[in-house]
């Protein structure tokens, strides 16, 4: 017999996407404005970062901070150039996260939270559903080649997008009856490089004589290579474990490292919810 007092648990899973991940803020805020507040939030990579701030009730502070990010400021925050295990160490972003979130345990958050990372030694997908929130976020965002692997309990951990870019499976495992997934890579088909890469100019850039275009910086090549893999992997994972509603913000014009375009991404996240109002109404009626 169905319990008349039972309310379906709502879960939202936020996908990877580097700078385009700011769109998650817009999605979450637009859903809240319509009275849809998730009981469970899961994330991968940038989705884990945004989801962690949401679960800790600090999304407004993150949105405000995002407006002050610049390209060079982002690079400075990443940390020192070390060329061992990754291009940057993780001291800068670790300090920023600790200052913003403090010492908070996942199990003490007002909203149930989970993040995905990968054990780089075995390739196994790992789920963080308890323990230190900053540890979980750092493990999930440590993109191989960009940041050094995050070390925890003898493990070398890397970006969860290597295994599960939009972790619907984790959201359901945590008890979600209804899962809304936000995929930031749904539009990424066709050409990945355009005529301008948007990175700071550096001396010694090579030129492709056939195209008359500047050769992209190797960090952008890393980012785009990762993006291609994530796009293909996302399609397979979502086909195997589909959400009840898929929201795909139109953020293809925001490059992976353009963290200074938060306002554009957040606005598009809100628009993506508006485009899905009919489906949202049917799902939550």
């Amino acid at each position: 017999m169905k319990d008349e007092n039972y309310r379906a648990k709502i879960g939202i899973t936020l996908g990877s996407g580097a700078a385009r991940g700011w769109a998650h803020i817009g999605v979450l805020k637009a859903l809240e404005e319509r009275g849809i507040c998730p009981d469970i939030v899961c994330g991968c990579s940038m989705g884990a970062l945004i989801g962690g701030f949401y679960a800790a009730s600090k999304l407004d502070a993150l949105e405000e901070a995002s407006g002050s990010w610049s390209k060079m400021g982002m690079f400075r925050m990443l940390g020192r150039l070390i060329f061992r295990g990754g291009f940057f160490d993780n001291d800068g972003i670790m300090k920023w996260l600790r200052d913003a979130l403090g010492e908070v345990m996942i199990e003490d958050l007002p909203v149930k939270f989970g993040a995905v990372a990968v054990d780089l030694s075995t390739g196994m997908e790992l789920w963080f559903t308890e323990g230190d929130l900053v540890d979980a976020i750092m493990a999930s965002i440590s993109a191989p080649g960009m940041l050094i692997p995050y070390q925890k309990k003898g493990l070398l951990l890397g970006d969860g997008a290597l295994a599960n870019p939009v972790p619907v499976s984790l959201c359901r495992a945590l008890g979600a009856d209804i899962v809304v997934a936000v995929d930031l890579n749904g539009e990424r088909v066709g050409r990945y490089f355009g005529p301008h890469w948007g990175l700071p100019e550096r001396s010694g850039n090579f030129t492709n004589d056939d195209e008359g275009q500047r050769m992209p910086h190797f960090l952008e090549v890393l980012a785009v290579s990762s993006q291609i893999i994530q796009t293909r992997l996302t399609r397979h994972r979502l086909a195997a474990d589909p959400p009840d509603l898929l929201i795909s913000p139109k953020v293809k014009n925001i490059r992976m490292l353009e963290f200074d375009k938060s306002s554009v991404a957040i606005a598009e996240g809100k628009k993506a919810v508006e485009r899905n109002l009919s489906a949202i109404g049917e799902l939550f009626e």
Side-chain angles (χ1 to χ4, degrees):
M1 182 176 179
K2 186 175 180 181
D3 185 354
E4 294 182 355
N5 295 319
Y6 178 77
R7 183 181 68 83
K9 291 183 179 178
I10 301 170
I12 186 164
T13 184
L14 308 175
S16 59
R20 295 193 304 276
W22 293 130
H24 291 315
I25 296 177
V27 171
L28 289 165
K29 292 209 158 189
L31 289 175
E32 276 201 338
E33 289 171 1
R34 290 160 177 82
I36 301 170
C37 301
D39 305 285
I40 300 162
V41 176
C42 296
C44 174
S45 197
M46 191 65 172
L49 188 150
I50 304 296
F53 273 80
Y54 179 87
S57 302
K58 294 189 176 183
L59 194 65
D60 288 340
L62 178 61
E63 180 179 11
E64 183 177 352
S66 73
S68 64
W69 283 33
S70 65
K71 289 189 182 74
M72 293 311 300
M74 184 271 292
F75 279 107
R76 283 193 296 269
M77 188 181 73
L78 284 173
R80 297 171 297 150
L81 300 174
I82 57 174
F83 302 103
R84 185 171 61 84
F87 194 67
F88 298 99
D89 68 19
N90 52 29
D91 292 348
I93 193 166
M94 181 75 174
K95 182 180 185 303
W96 174 74
L97 285 171
R98 190 63 73 190
D99 289 345
L101 294 170
E103 303 279 349
V104 58
M105 304 298 284
I106 293 174
E107 50 267 42
D108 295 331
L109 294 171
V111 175
K112 189 176 288 188
F113 174 75
V116 176
V118 170
D119 180 348
L120 295 176
S121 297
T122 65
M124 289 184 62
E125 177 181 341
L126 300 178
W127 293 352
F128 285 79
T129 59
E130 59 183 21
D132 186 83
L133 176 61
V134 171
D135 280 341
I137 294 173
M138 280 302 308
S140 191
I141 67 174
S142 292
M146 183 77 74
L147 289 173
I148 64 172
Y150 192 65
Q151 296 180 310
K152 185 69 176 177
K153 295 183 179 178
L155 300 177
L156 291 177
L157 305 175
D159 196 325
L162 294 170
N164 199 350
V166 186
V168 173
S169 54
L170 173 55
C171 213
R172 293 202 189 279
L174 289 179
D177 299 302
I178 298 173
V179 175
V180 176
V182 185
D183 176 20
L184 303 175
N185 297 307
E187 284 196 306
R188 301 308 298 186
V189 293
R191 190 170 184 175
Y192 282 81
F193 278 127
H196 305 291
W197 319 132
L199 287 169
E201 291 287 349
R202 296 170 183 265
S203 60
N205 286 321
F206 294 96
T207 300
N208 184 327
D209 293 332
D210 294 333
E211 296 290 338
Q213 297 174 357
R214 178 172 67 83
M215 186 69 74
H217 192 279
F218 83 90
L219 287 178
E220 185 73 354
V221 174
L222 275 177
V224 168
S225 299
S226 173
Q227 181 182 334
I228 292 170
I229 294 170
Q230 290 176 44
T231 300
R232 295 179 180 274
L233 181 56
T234 297
R235 292 173 182 171
H236 288 293
R237 293 297 301 245
L238 291 179
D241 194 2
D244 297 286
L245 174 65
L246 181 64
I247 296 177
S248 298
K250 295 181 178 181
V251 287
K252 66 180 180 180
N253 292 324
I254 299 176
R255 287 178 284 269
M256 299 287 279
L257 301 178
E258 288 186 317
F259 286 92
D260 56 319
K261 290 191 174 181
S262 61
S263 60
V264 176
I266 292 170
E268 174 49 38
K270 293 179 178 179
K271 291 177 183 177
V273 171
E274 293 171 1
R275 288 194 297 269
N276 285 275
L277 286 181
S278 177
I280 290 171
E282 292 178 4
L283 188 60
F284 295 102
E285 63 181 5

